Amino acid sequence: MNPPSEPEIITEQRGHLGLITLNRPGKLNALTHEMVKGITAALNRWADCDAVQTVAITGAGDRGLCAGGNVVSLHHDVTVGDGLTAAAFWRDEYVMNARIAAYPKPFVALQDGIVLGGGMGVSAHGSHRIVTERSKLGFPETTIGYIPDVGAAWLLSRAPGELGTRVALSGETVGAADAIFLGYSDAFIPSHRLSALLAGLETDEPGHLIDEFSEDPGEGLMAAQQEWTDHAFSATRIVDVLQRLHDSGEAEALALAELITSKSPLALAVTLEAVHRAASLRSLDAVLIQDYRVSRRSSGTHDFAEGIRAQLIDKDRKPHWSPAAHEEVTRETVQEFFEPPAEGDLVLPPSFQIGMNLHFIHITEDLDEVSAWYQDVFGGHATWAASPEFPYLEVEARNADLIVIGNTIVEPMAPAKQVDGWADKPVGRFLKKFGSRWQTMSWYVDDVQGVYRRIADSGVRFFMLGGEHGDDGLGDNNCFFTHPKDTFGGLEFASYASENPRRGYAGDPRFLPHFDQSRWATHHPLGIERLAYQTVVVDDLDRAVQFYVEVLGGEVVFESRSDLTGTRNKMIRLGTDSIVEIAEPFDPTSLAGKDLARNGVFFHALTWKVTDLDKAAAHLTSKGVRILDGDDELLIADPATTHGAVHRFTSFDVPGDPRDASRPTT
């Protein structure tokens, strides 16, 4: 009877430490698909475990953390199979890389010994990266006719000068000092002290411990060679890089030119392009999406199969590259590597969590009148101050109130006409162009920077308070707004209050323990149970749904076609408490159709779930609100009688509603 096989990864909880050990020491802990899935599962499990405060990764044996991916198995798939097994491996690996980079807890990577390729992917994106006197780090992919992946170009394009380009092309490994200099690693700790470091992490936070254990790594080689490296590797063609290395006259440069000449000309050209492109990408996620494109294209090339054969299977170290000369690699061929694969781009899960709706902005000309109307018709709760200067905000020259209605906050907002220049501020410009209507949907998020990076990768335009463009980053801002044409409706994302993340934005009353939304259902004639959904009108339903699902992490829960609203609809579950209805009008005479024709893609309506539709209609009518149209499930109020904002009322429960299934009783 054969003894049971050793697990390929070992996960264990030691006090407050979650420890991942790569356990294939005989294969230098090379990553298999099952290992990748196991690492991701452990990270997901520990992310929500309060007992685990730090996660660390190490490798079994004393030769290294990880020598990369199990490329021999990938070789079999791309030469004998259909390449889909390799594609699945890369998808899951890149998801894991992104998860490590955005992990909500400290992630300590022990980069001891050999750390190559995929080993860099499981370590170099962590928050605390430790090298030792035995460390040899690098990206050797061009040696096997492949291109550095696992987010390598993100790191390499941000290394000092052109040193990242150099090591990407050459496949050089570097020691501890150079790894820190290049940005692969953070601190040097002698290998004999790693066990004590792990023991300390069971009870202590990593920053303090690493400072205590760290030592000087000594001098590296890269800094002294940066001048001629920058000159040579700033060239945009491989032949020019090689020529500049030869012209430098430096012995190290000549040796480097010889090393690079042995690599795949095709892989070198694509690698150079990948690093250059990554320099202008805004996030690691964007680079990983690029990596997937390049990997899928590379897997079908002659050089990928030939490089693995020569280096790892036959081991004759004599690859026959095709094309064989750098001059034979065309610009058109290189560009093909960056096109989306047939099955579509890599879709990465969001690194952030969208919470509850913060508020919905209703632009109006008369703030006092509209605020009083919401309190009268909807039973809106007394306004609460979002900041000491509320309701006036100088940077936008506007006034606003925050009206609590059930589980929802509506923010009526008007230009501060008493201030000179109000008409040139965002609210004034909006009012002049579109009149009174809904403007923005807003959500709390746990990582506003993460949302910003995610949306930025989609080419979205951003604005800060006051209308300042935010395309260069958030800076110190804790919220941002998107251009409605870019995100299928104007969106705002805001951080939870820093002093207490569970209390919302500056004392949002909905987070208070005594808050009870049921009173709107039980003690007010409109009978609002909750906000049912918010509607965006679009001219391309599929593309809008793709954005809300793939970029924001939403989920389609229901589809419908309504003759009453004149729209085809998909309901998207988004965040902890909201449903977004994406509506594409098919009837140009409908309210939604007219809104789209007049204003383009826009946040169109709020739909409220009420306990009794007939009673709601009677109450609305008594308050001067005209019912424009309706049936036995939905009423549409005339926006001419609701200060320009479209309000709907329904008795319909949306399938998949993320909120508690229990409803207030009358």
Side-chain angles (χ1 to χ4, degrees), residues 182-201:
L182 289 173
Y184 294 167
S185 311
D186 301 303
F188 171 82
I189 296 177
S191 58
H192 70 271
R193 303 197 71 188
L194 295 182
S195 295
L197 175 67
L198 289 176
L201 290 173

Side-chain angles (χ1 to χ4, degrees), residues 27 45 67 80 148 160 215 221 258 360 409 526 635 646 658 662:
K27 300 292 184 182
R45 183 169 67 250
V80 179
E215 297 183 12
L221 301 175
E258 183 176 355
F360 300 94
I409 290 176
L526 190 53
L635 301 177
V646 178
S662 62

Side-chain angles (χ1 to χ4, degrees), residues 576-605:
T576 59
D577 78 331
S578 58
I579 297 286
V580 179
E581 179 187 54
I582 311 296
E584 182 182 52
F586 60 80
D587 179 1
T589 67
S590 66
L591 194 60
K594 291 177 181 177
D595 193 7
L596 181 65
R598 182 182 304 116
N599 301 308
V601 173
F602 237 112
F603 168 29
H604 174 67

Side-chain angles (χ1 to χ4, degrees), residues 405-457:
I405 303 170
N407 67 328
T408 303
I409 290 176
V410 173
E411 183 176 15
M413 185 179 294
K417 293 186 177 181
Q418 73 275 15
V419 178
D420 290 340
W422 66 268
D424 296 322
K425 295 293 186 178
V427 175
R429 294 198 306 269
F430 184 95
L431 183 64
K432 285 196 298 181
K433 184 173 182 179
F434 300 107
S436 297
R437 62 160 300 133
W438 295 117
Q439 183 206 47
T440 302
M441 305 176 287
S442 178
W443 283 270
Y444 287 114
V445 292
D446 64 345
D447 179 8
V448 71
Q449 291 280 356
V451 184
Y452 176 88
R453 291 191 299 268
R454 177 83 167 194
I455 300 178
D457 292 341

Side-chain angles (χ1 to χ4, degrees), residues 14 17 110 189-205 209-210 212-213:
R14 300 180 180 179
L17 175 66
L110 304 187
I189 296 177
S191 58
H192 70 271
R193 303 197 71 188
L194 295 182
S195 295
L197 175 67
L198 289 176
L201 290 173
E202 296 179 20
T203 57
D204 208 346
E205 61 89 21
L209 279 176
I210 291 170
E212 179 182 329
F213 280 78

